[in-house]
Amino acid sequence: MFKMKKDEKEMSFLGHLEALRKHLMRIIIAVVIFAFLAFLNKSIIFDQILFAPKNTDFITYKLLCKLSQITHLDESLCISEMPFTIQSRTMSGQFSAHLWISIIAGFIIAFPYILFELWRFISPALYEEERKNAKGFIFVASFLFLLGVGFGYYVITPLSMNFLGNYTVSEAVINEFDLGSYIELIVMSVLSCGIVFELPIVVYFFTRIGLVTPTILRQFRKYALIVILLVSAIITPPDISSQILVSIPILILYEISILISGLVLKKDRKNTSSLTTK
């Protein structure tokens, strides 16, 4: 369990707030710098990244088509067209989209540095042994977040776009989506997956402070399955195949979290027994 270090001269509450303010300012500056760079590279951010999933030659669609051919599904997974257009219906629509996407891109790119600054803020309150145990925290948490972002972009986004872009209630209705709605779909898919993929990190810290154990995680596995299916239903189009495809990596993360929780408890017991022996 985490414990606060007892320094001879403890920092006051206002001192902690001042330290936190400095770290938050550095985080904001980093996000602004990367957001500014993203703003300057408008064609890359929009044409090559954001609008790529609306094209039939997007890599995910190509892989689905190959999968369809390999499994002899008569190219049922091949996508020949995206029957929708994207429009901006407000005067400031394109500029607002450019600004907000730049900020979000700045946050995603700066995420490892954000974790680094947060770690610098909390690490002085930890013992040396606790800092060593969590040495790889920044790398692992950043990797999981970016992995989730990639999963949201290459799996969730194209599945959702293909389903919603082709869905019609009548031939009299034409799909002409607003730019803000299109961007919201991508951003929600990417950020929600990035957060969900942090599950092992959350379980690690909850185990360290005694809130969860491997036994509790195993007991609640069936309830976790229901929650995972609900989350998958929210962030994916309403078809069973997409929900199953999304649920699989989340279930794997849950099982990995159980293993991590077990390793943390095992190490804590080993350290406790060694101290008792001494």
Side-chain angles (χ1 to χ4, degrees):
M1 185 179 294
F2 286 115
K3 297 178 181 178
M4 298 295 289
K5 284 199 303 185
K6 293 182 179 179
D7 297 326
E8 294 180 17
K9 196 173 183 180
E10 293 185 356
M11 189 182 292
S12 65
F13 177 72
L14 291 178
H16 282 296
L17 285 181
E18 177 62 20
L20 179 60
R21 186 188 68 83
K22 291 179 180 178
H23 289 293
L24 291 177
M25 284 300 299
R26 284 193 285 266
I27 288 173
I28 292 171
I29 291 171
V31 172
V32 169
I33 290 173
F34 285 115
F36 180 70
L37 293 175
F39 190 87
L40 294 178
N41 291 276
K42 178 174 62 175
S43 61
I44 295 176
I45 296 297
F46 282 87
D47 295 330
Q48 298 182 30
I49 298 177
L50 283 179
F51 293 146
K54 71 178 284 292
N55 299 322
T56 55
D57 61 350
F58 188 59
I59 184 171
T60 303
Y61 304 138
K62 289 181 178 180
L63 292 175
L64 286 174
C65 190
K66 287 183 179 179
L67 178 63
S68 180
Q69 294 169 354
I70 292 172
T71 54
H72 305 289
L73 294 176
D74 299 326
E75 298 187 351
S76 59
L77 296 178
C78 294
I79 297 168
S80 58
E81 65 172 332
M82 284 289 190
F84 66 86
T85 58
I86 302 172
Q87 298 184 355
S88 178
R89 302 176 186 273
T90 60
M91 287 291 290
S92 61
Q94 294 196 53
F95 178 76
S96 296
H98 188 191
L99 186 63
W100 280 110
I101 281 298
S102 298
I103 294 173
I104 293 169
F107 171 79
I108 292 174
I109 298 170
F111 189 77
Y113 181 76
I114 292 172
L115 290 179
F116 173 70
E117 285 295 337
L118 293 177
W119 177 250
R120 286 182 63 192
F121 175 68
I122 66 173
S123 60
L126 307 178
Y127 286 118
E128 185 64 29
E129 183 65 24
E130 291 170 336
R131 284 201 293 268
K132 288 181 180 178
N133 291 338
K135 185 180 290 185
F137 161 72
I138 297 172
F139 173 78
V140 175
S142 300
F143 173 76
L144 288 174
F145 178 77
L146 295 177
L147 185 65
V149 166
F151 183 78
Y153 178 72
Y154 287 106
V155 179
I156 305 298
T157 295
L159 287 176
S160 302
M161 199 167 295
N162 180 47
F163 178 83
L164 298 173
N166 285 280
Y167 188 84
T168 58
V169 293
S170 170
E171 292 183 359
V173 182
I174 300 173
N175 282 333
E176 296 178 344
F177 302 130
D178 186 70
L179 177 61
S181 175
Y182 177 87
I183 290 176
E184 182 182 359
L185 172 68
I186 298 177
V187 170
M188 288 300 296
S189 299
V190 166
L191 292 184
S192 60
C193 286
I195 294 171
V196 168
F197 272 56
E198 293 292 332
L199 178 63
I201 299 295
V202 174
V203 170
Y204 171 83
F205 282 105
F206 278 7
T207 303
R208 291 305 304 270
I209 62 178
L211 288 179
V212 298
T213 64
T215 303
I216 292 175
L217 292 174
R218 292 190 186 97
Q219 288 176 348
F220 283 88
R221 183 186 275 123
K222 56 184 178 181
Y223 303 109
L225 176 60
I226 296 173
V227 172
I228 289 170
L229 291 174
L230 287 174
V231 171
S232 301
I234 293 171
I235 65 177
T236 60
D239 63 274
I240 300 299
S241 58
S242 298
Q243 293 175 16
I244 292 175
L245 184 62
V246 173
S247 299
I248 290 173
I250 301 178
L251 285 171
I252 293 173
L253 286 172
Y254 188 83
E255 295 300 324
I256 291 174
S257 299
I258 295 176
L259 294 175
I260 291 173
S261 181
L263 290 173
V264 171
L265 280 185
K266 185 178 180 181
K267 192 164 187 177
D268 285 347
R269 287 167 184 161
K270 185 177 179 181
N271 291 337
T272 303
S273 62
S274 62
L275 288 173
T276 304
T277 305
K278 290 179 182 180

